[in-house]
Amino acid sequence: MSEGSAGKILADGLTEQLISNLLLFPEFRVFSREASFSEAFAGDPADIRSRVHVDYLVQGSLRRDASRLRVTARLIDARTGEFLWSRTYDRDLSAASAIAIEEDVAGGIASNLAAPYGAVSEAVLKGLHDRAPQTLSAYECVLKAFAYRWVGDPKQWPEQFACLEQAVHDDPTYADAWAMLALVRLDQFRWGNDAGGDLAKVAPQALADAERAVELAPSNVLALQAVSAVQFHLGRFDEAERTMRGAVAINPYNPETLALLGIRIALRGGWREGLEYLDRSIDRMAAAPAWTHLVKGMALYVLGDYAAALPEAQAGRTCCAGFGPALLAAVEGQRGQAEAAREALQEATARSPLLARDPRAFYALFQVDAKAVDLFITGLEKAGLKTAAAEPAPDSVEKL
């Protein structure tokens, strides 16, 4: 949609890059360049659907002048013609090469569409809410588990765990199901039925599930996420970080992987670096899950920016048993908002009694750096938490 051939070259390059990016997400079947550029995909969605069996279409337009580029992309349900998602990307042509812009814009589109919390998954999930677990396919069980992990609600844990156990029984070669089973099994220790219990009872089977996923699909990003999660909770922090960096290298357009790498780094004391990864991740998501906001808020809190931490703590309040409201209580405590802090603290201790009994053990569930734990407890004490005299904390991995 521009003068001359330069716009056509950019549009074709952007389309080719987007196809390559979407192919990094193994759950998608993407039509080849030849198919996507053919007349079979011309016309309105109903006409295309009558010629080619596709579920979703990605269409867009490109406008450019001498110095500016505007790309508008949209996702369409090919079965109904409904517009499901749209976003506009404006770029300065004088600030970067055309290839760099293609990679940047196509990466953003792929992340928003194909990531676990992207527009396609959201569209599929809409039809699954009212269905019983025993009627779901293995793929649908995995999608439902992603929805559960969006907020980390322990009440949903038994249903999700049962569905995933059935999924690996029905389809034992499905790596995503094994990986998600490992992650949900680990939730039993972190904030599920056995929160604060014995990790030794949970970790061996969770690690076996995750390793089975990697054995089935060595380059599967979700499988590597699961292995890294177990490694991290077993205290194998360097291994966990290396595993996540390997996952990012395989698919740099998966924003969940970026967020999890940021979390691995932040919780062990690298709060500034971790915050950078979390910001990049959230920027690439159509909508970010509560746990990304929770850890971003934790990072901002530790770095002393309570005003910026507040909206993140509010967005993460529903997450992860008592961790969400505990952060909000600490933030409000530091801000001197006594009533709001007390209300959030009551919610946190009701959802996780371990916080009231032993706040250090509570934060140990996530392997939070000890120096940061001191800062969180200070905020919670200002919110009204009564604690025993604090013991000196060991040196952190990275000084704050």
Side-chain angles (χ1 to χ4, degrees):
M1 300 178 70
S2 62
E3 298 282 336
S5 62
K8 177 69 163 58
I9 292 171
L10 267 173
D12 287 354
L14 183 62
T15 303
E16 290 184 332
Q17 184 66 49
L18 180 57
I19 291 171
S20 297
N21 293 352
L22 290 172
L23 286 170
L24 294 173
F25 295 87
E27 60 271 28
F28 287 88
R29 293 199 301 273
V30 185
F31 281 83
S32 68
R33 181 195 188 282
E34 289 73 19
S36 292
F37 281 81
S38 71
E39 292 184 0
F41 284 88
D44 64 44
D47 290 339
I48 294 171
R49 179 75 176 179
S50 69
R51 295 190 294 268
V52 185
H53 179 78
V54 293
D55 295 317
Y56 301 97
L57 294 168
V58 184
Q59 295 181 340
S61 62
L62 179 151
R63 296 178 184 271
R64 60 160 292 170
D65 57 24
S67 61
R68 297 290 299 168
L69 175 72
R70 169 167 291 182
V71 177
T72 300
R74 53 191 175 271
L75 177 71
I76 303 169
D77 189 326
R79 296 157 294 188
T80 65
E82 180 184 2
F83 285 81
L84 302 173
W85 170 88
S86 179
R87 184 164 177 177
T88 298
Y89 299 82
D90 289 307
R91 295 294 184 267
D92 183 352
L93 284 171
S94 63
S97 70
I99 291 176
I101 290 172
E102 287 174 4
E103 292 177 347
D104 175 38
V105 174
I109 295 171
S111 297
N112 276 275
L113 295 179
Y117 302 106
V120 173
S121 294
E122 182 181 359
V124 175
L125 275 169
K126 285 182 179 178
L128 303 183
H129 286 306
D130 298 327
R131 286 179 48 191
Q134 60 269 25
T135 70
L136 300 177
S137 69
Y139 170 69
E140 290 168 338
C141 271
V142 170
L143 276 186
K144 289 275 282 187
F146 273 116
Y148 145 77
R149 294 181 70 224
W150 180 278
V151 294
D153 182 1
K155 294 178 181 177
Q156 298 180 24
W157 185 90
E159 176 183 324
Q160 302 305 324
F161 185 72
C163 191
L164 289 165
E165 280 198 314
Q166 186 64 44
V168 298
H169 176 271
D170 294 343
D171 189 353
T173 64
Y174 185 27
D176 280 9
W178 283 105
M180 189 60 80
L181 179 62
L183 290 167
V184 173
R185 191 186 299 276
L186 196 60
D187 287 347
Q188 187 177 16
F189 164 76
R190 294 187 290 186
W191 59 71
N193 296 349
D194 195 27
D198 187 357
L199 179 62
K201 295 179 180 178
V202 177
Q205 188 57 56
L207 185 59
D209 294 338
E211 290 177 341
R212 175 62 174 151
V214 173
E215 179 185 342
L216 289 166
S219 297
N220 183 290
V221 167
L222 184 59
L224 294 174
Q225 290 176 7
V227 169
S228 175
V230 182
Q231 290 170 335
F232 186 78
H233 284 280
L234 289 173
R236 292 150 53 179
F237 306 124
D238 291 342
E239 289 181 57
E241 183 179 331
R242 281 197 300 271
T243 302
M244 287 310 306
R245 289 190 185 277
V248 170
I250 290 170
N251 183 359
Y253 305 111
N254 187 323
E256 185 187 37
T257 310
L258 286 174
L260 290 170
L261 175 58
I263 289 171
R264 301 285 178 266
I265 295 168
L267 294 182
R268 297 310 306 157
W271 295 99
R272 289 191 186 279
E273 183 183 359
L275 182 59
E276 291 175 4
Y277 280 105
L278 285 161
D279 279 337
R280 285 169 54 192
S281 167
I282 291 170
D283 183 60
R284 283 187 173 272
M285 292 185 183
W291 51 267
T292 60
H293 292 290
L294 169 63
V295 184
K296 179 179 178 179
M298 292 173 71
L300 291 166
Y301 175 93
V302 171
L303 295 170
D305 192 344
Y306 304 131
L310 179 60
E312 303 299 332
Q314 291 169 333
R317 183 172 187 164
T318 60
C319 181
C320 316
F323 278 89
L327 173 62
L328 183 58
V331 171
E332 295 288 31
Q334 294 285 18
R335 295 177 66 246
Q337 303 297 313
E339 184 175 349
R342 186 166 51 252
E343 178 185 337
L345 179 61
Q346 289 173 348
E347 180 182 345
T349 53
R351 291 171 62 182
S352 183
L354 178 63
L355 174 62
R357 297 197 309 270
D358 189 345
R360 292 194 180 280
F362 172 79
Y363 284 104
L365 291 173
F366 269 95
Q367 300 284 13
V368 179
D369 171 65
K371 288 277 188 178
V373 172
D374 286 343
L375 297 176
F376 289 121
I377 291 177
T378 297
L380 291 171
E381 288 175 337
K382 291 181 179 181
L385 182 68
K386 305 298 182 183
T387 61
E391 297 179 1
D395 289 341
S396 64
V397 174
E398 173 182 308
K399 299 297 183 183
L400 302 176

